Amino acid sequence: MATSAERPESRPDPKFLTIAEVATMMRVSKMTVYRLVHSGELPAVRVGRSFRVPEGDVDEYLRKSFYNAG
């Protein structure tokens, strides 16, 4: 297994968020986040019985979902 010292500098370690953290960040319920994950709209990694969502994917989802009213 490669340590962080052996990885190229251009590829930082991704930060993974729990479903609860994503829900808090997006100000929605955990069930809403689970629906997004299960529908494939929000990529996630399964770790045991739980999911982890890469922070960058949450940012990308929000950026793509932004609605300009007006």
Side-chain angles (χ1 to χ4, degrees):
M1 183 172 186
T3 63
S4 59
E6 296 170 352
R7 290 192 185 115
E9 293 299 318
S10 62
R11 245 179 125 194
D13 290 335
K15 180 178 178 188
F16 290 94
L17 303 171
T18 64
I19 295 294
E21 290 171 330
V22 174
T24 300
M25 184 182 203
M26 295 175 65
R27 299 186 70 138
V28 297
S29 71
K30 290 190 292 185
M31 185 53 66
T32 298
V33 178
Y34 279 117
R35 284 187 191 115
L36 291 171
V37 168
H38 287 293
S39 71
E41 292 182 65
L42 188 61
V45 176
R46 189 161 193 131
V47 180
R49 295 180 61 197
S50 61
F51 289 97
R52 295 295 183 268
V53 182
E55 187 175 35
D57 287 327
V58 176
D59 294 338
E60 179 69 14
Y61 175 81
L62 292 173
R63 188 187 63 73
K64 289 191 308 188
S65 300
F66 189 80
Y67 178 76
N68 192 2

